[in-house]
Amino acid sequence: MKYRIIGHDRLTAVQDMLIALLPDEKHMPDDLEGGDLCISTLERTDGWVVAAASVSRGDKTTCGECREREQSGEEGKRIVSYAVKTALYRAIVQHLESEPVWGSLTGVKPAKPARVYMQQGNSIADTEKWLRDRYFVSPDRAELCIAAAEAALETERKLRPDEVQLYAGIPFCPSKCAYCSFVSNDMVRWGHLIEPYHRALLREVEAAGVMLSRENRRIGSVYIGGGTPTTLSAQQLDELIKAIRSSFDLSACREFTVEAGRPETITCDKLEVLAHNGVSRISINPQTMNDQVLENVGRKHTVADIINAYSMARRAGDFDINMDLIAGLPGDNGDSLLNSVRRVVELDPENITVHCLARKKGAPMRFGKRGELTRSELDACYEVIEKAGYKPYYLYRQKYSAGGLENIGFCKNDKKSHYNICMMEEIGDVVALGAGGISKLCSEQGQKIVRICNPKYPIEYVERADSIVNKKLDITL
Ligand code: SF4
């Protein structure tokens, strides 16, 4: 769809709404004659901003409008974006077969506006109504938003002033999954980099430890993620965790997670290392419990490997276990997805995270159009999970996700991941180590965030280890 903007400069607002509602179309500025066209205009009259949109597709033209009180400064900019998006939403939705469950709410953190609204003293019922009336969010998704917002508010209340969350990334995997755009280096080709990477990471751990002790900060949670951290050998894992334990003040650490991820990398000796070093939470990620679908996406393991890794983990230690599933994988359908969910629920992990497949530019495999996953298929999965006693507690969305749907973290017995909530809802500071690590230093109640980025690729990370160490030492919190 071509777009034309008149009277405002909110290009991103226009593009975000077009992508959210018409993800399978290409959107470009109006510089060609003919074809579908969307016109977004804005006028300011008597203290009001008035946004209008007209959308012509084929032989159907629709219109939408939104009037908002004019405001100054940053709030004024937000109001203009809101008005532009809302007018567009009202025009575009008339071309769709059904209303999107997330309405006009774009962005990856849908719980954040609900949390801010609740912090202003609004009740749950008022917040639900506000999400429905102002953003056209469906009642069930508004409920999800509230659940995630409440978990975030609870986390915010208990956050100590000296608390910081720690992330360390291991960007290696046994093979590349077809849907993944993450900078994960497969071990067959890049295995020789693991040891130098590990050494460089130990140096950064030490530097970050010096910095955080100088700043009188204690660790609230540790998350070793990836990639697949269990591509490290048992000895490397032992060294890394021991280095973290000796470099940081973990006296008030609430949770220590290691993503074990791919079951073929999980061995008894690695699990013993995790258990002996006080790791409290691990992830074993099936993505699907269907062998054919695993093969379709380039995972080099079977469902039997997942079940075996899970029972080894249960025997090795008292871990809280998370299991990730992805809805909308190629070769999967509503029934087989539901079967995967049921089989994971039977295993009874403390956490289940359901992701919706998202098309990503850097991923090796191109998927078909969005919409291969329907809302009712996903809702059926949620029903099974919730009936088994799990509750949703964190939430995020991705551009180009199947069906325009969401990713949800569920927990049983209130075993919420502290790190996941802090990271997802941008609560407090996160210090990130390793290639691709992005430290986020928050101020003004999460409204202002300074990001400090490490080099993306492991080879750069190894080569630039000296400057990374110095940069870490220079951080002030
Ligand atoms: S295991 Fe995870 S990080 Fe590694 S390639 Fe697969 S999806 Fe990406």
Side-chain angles (χ1 to χ4, degrees):
M1 158 106 45
K2 293 179 298 170
Y3 54 82
R4 187 184 304 161
I5 295 175
I6 301 167
H8 69 86
D9 60 0
R10 304 281 104 180
L11 173 64
T12 308
V14 171
Q15 288 174 333
D16 282 353
M17 192 51 68
L18 287 169
I19 290 169
L21 299 185
L22 303 168
D24 299 324
E25 298 183 14
K26 273 200 168 163
H27 307 294
M28 65 205 100
D30 170 33
D31 55 0
L32 295 166
E33 283 302 310
D36 297 346
L37 177 65
C38 154
I39 303 174
S40 167
T41 62
L42 188 91
E43 288 180 4
R44 293 166 199 269
T45 50
D46 301 329
W48 292 86
V49 290
V50 182
S54 101
V55 174
S56 302
R57 296 175 86 215
D59 53 7
K60 182 174 172 183
T61 297
T62 57
C63 296
E65 195 185 272
C66 178
R67 290 163 66 84
E68 288 286 309
R69 279 267 175 224
E70 192 167 13
Q71 306 220 24
S72 56
E74 287 305 308
E75 187 53 22
K77 287 184 194 165
R78 269 196 283 274
I79 287 292
V80 169
S81 290
Y82 171 79
V84 164
K85 281 185 176 180
T86 305
L88 272 170
Y89 177 83
R90 287 180 169 141
I92 297 171
V93 81
Q94 298 172 59
H95 291 268
L96 306 181
E97 282 170 18
S98 60
E99 288 192 29
V101 289
W102 286 103
S104 63
L105 205 54
T106 57
V108 295
K109 301 176 196 308
K112 203 167 179 181
R115 173 158 60 103
V116 172
Y117 194 67
M118 287 163 83
Q119 275 167 330
Q120 291 163 358
N122 294 294
S123 68
I124 287 177
D126 286 346
T127 308
E128 276 194 47
K129 185 172 177 334
W130 178 77
L131 287 168
R132 291 201 307 267
D133 294 352
R134 202 157 164 80
Y135 293 100
F136 317 102
V137 176
S138 67
D140 50 2
R141 265 48 185 187
E143 227 175 88
L144 278 177
C145 259
I146 302 283
E150 282 191 297
L153 286 169
E154 185 198 345
T155 300
E156 213 167 26
R157 278 193 295 273
K158 67 183 185 196
L159 205 75
R160 292 182 312 270
D162 68 347
E163 181 168 339
V164 63
Q165 318 311 320
L166 184 74
Y167 177 86
I170 309 295
F172 298 95
C173 291
S175 64
K176 181 89 175 169
C177 303
Y179 50 81
C180 180
S181 65
F182 181 73
V183 183
S184 58
N185 286 227
D186 85 67
M187 286 162 67
V188 179
R189 186 156 170 221
W190 299 103
H192 61 284
L193 271 183
I194 293 181
E195 181 54 23
Y197 181 85
H198 173 60
R199 294 281 142 217
L201 184 58
L202 292 178
R203 290 186 61 199
E204 198 188 8
V205 165
E206 199 185 328
V210 171
M211 180 273 288
L212 286 178
S213 129
R214 186 192 66 222
E215 299 291 314
N216 293 316
R217 292 299 200 99
R218 285 186 298 168
I219 301 296
S221 63
V222 180
Y223 195 103
I224 303 182
T228 307
T230 38
T231 49
L232 297 184
S233 66
Q235 193 189 331
Q236 287 165 331
L237 277 171
D238 191 47
E239 278 176 5
L240 175 60
I241 300 169
K242 285 202 165 89
I244 290 173
R245 290 214 159 273
S246 63
S247 302
F248 300 100
D249 182 345
L250 299 189
S251 58
C253 184
R254 305 163 196 271
E255 151 192 304
F256 196 132
T257 300
V258 175
E259 257 189 77
R262 298 271 288 259
E264 69 268 46
T265 62
I266 302 173
T267 58
C268 281
D269 55 345
K270 291 181 197 178
L271 288 165
E272 272 163 26
V273 163
L274 303 185
H276 287 151
N277 283 298
V279 169
S280 59
R281 185 173 179 273
I282 62 172
S283 251
I284 300 172
N285 299 330
Q287 315 301 18
T288 168
M289 295 295 262
N290 180 317
D291 280 330
Q292 184 57 55
V293 179
L294 283 171
E295 198 183 320
N296 292 350
V297 296
R299 303 269 290 194
K300 308 280 183 215
H301 63 83
T302 62
V303 172
D305 294 332
I306 295 159
I307 293 168
N308 185 34
Y310 185 87
S311 59
M312 268 199 301
R314 283 298 188 211
R315 284 196 302 274
D318 185 21
F319 303 115
D320 288 343
I321 301 183
N322 171 67
M323 301 188 92
D324 279 2
L325 286 167
I326 301 180
L329 289 173
D332 221 352
N333 59 40
D335 288 342
S336 59
L337 172 64
L338 202 56
N339 182 50
S340 291
V341 168
R342 287 202 176 104
R343 293 191 68 185
V344 166
V345 163
E346 272 165 23
L347 290 172
D348 198 27
E350 284 71 18
N351 295 171
I352 299 176
T353 310
V354 181
H355 301 260
C356 288
L357 182 70
R359 266 185 357 233
K360 289 175 188 156
K361 267 189 195 155
M365 191 185 268
R366 295 278 168 266
F367 297 104
K369 294 192 171 206
R370 194 176 79 157
E372 287 159 4
L373 174 73
T374 66
R375 173 190 178 175
S376 60
E377 285 166 352
L378 195 61
D379 287 352
C381 298
Y382 295 165
E383 202 184 319
V384 169
I385 293 171
E386 294 194 62
K387 266 196 184 147
Y390 295 86
K391 296 204 176 345
Y393 77 98
Y394 84 94
L395 171 66
Y396 68 101
R397 295 177 68 203
Q398 292 171 282
K399 268 188 187 174
Y400 302 111
S401 65
L405 296 159
E406 62 285 323
N407 303 329
I408 301 184
F410 292 88
C411 69
K412 209 171 196 180
N413 303 326
D414 209 30
K415 300 253 181 177
K416 302 182 180 90
S417 161
H418 182 74
Y419 176 85
N420 281 344
I421 297 176
C422 289
M423 193 269 298
M424 202 52 70
E425 295 296 324
E426 295 176 328
I427 298 170
D429 300 326
V430 178
V431 168
L433 316 176
I438 302 176
S439 299
K440 291 184 187 175
L441 312 180
C442 303
S443 56
E444 296 170 23
Q445 294 192 312
Q447 296 301 306
K448 193 171 163 213
I449 296 168
V450 175
R451 291 177 165 78
I452 301 170
C453 303
N454 276 358
K456 204 169 167 186
Y457 298 97
I459 192 148
E460 288 177 277
Y461 180 79
V462 170
E463 284 169 1
R464 290 166 55 189
D466 288 343
S467 74
I468 292 163
V469 162
N470 290 334
K471 207 168 153 188
K472 226 15 110 310
L473 287 167
D474 283 348
I475 291 179
T476 52
L477 298 168

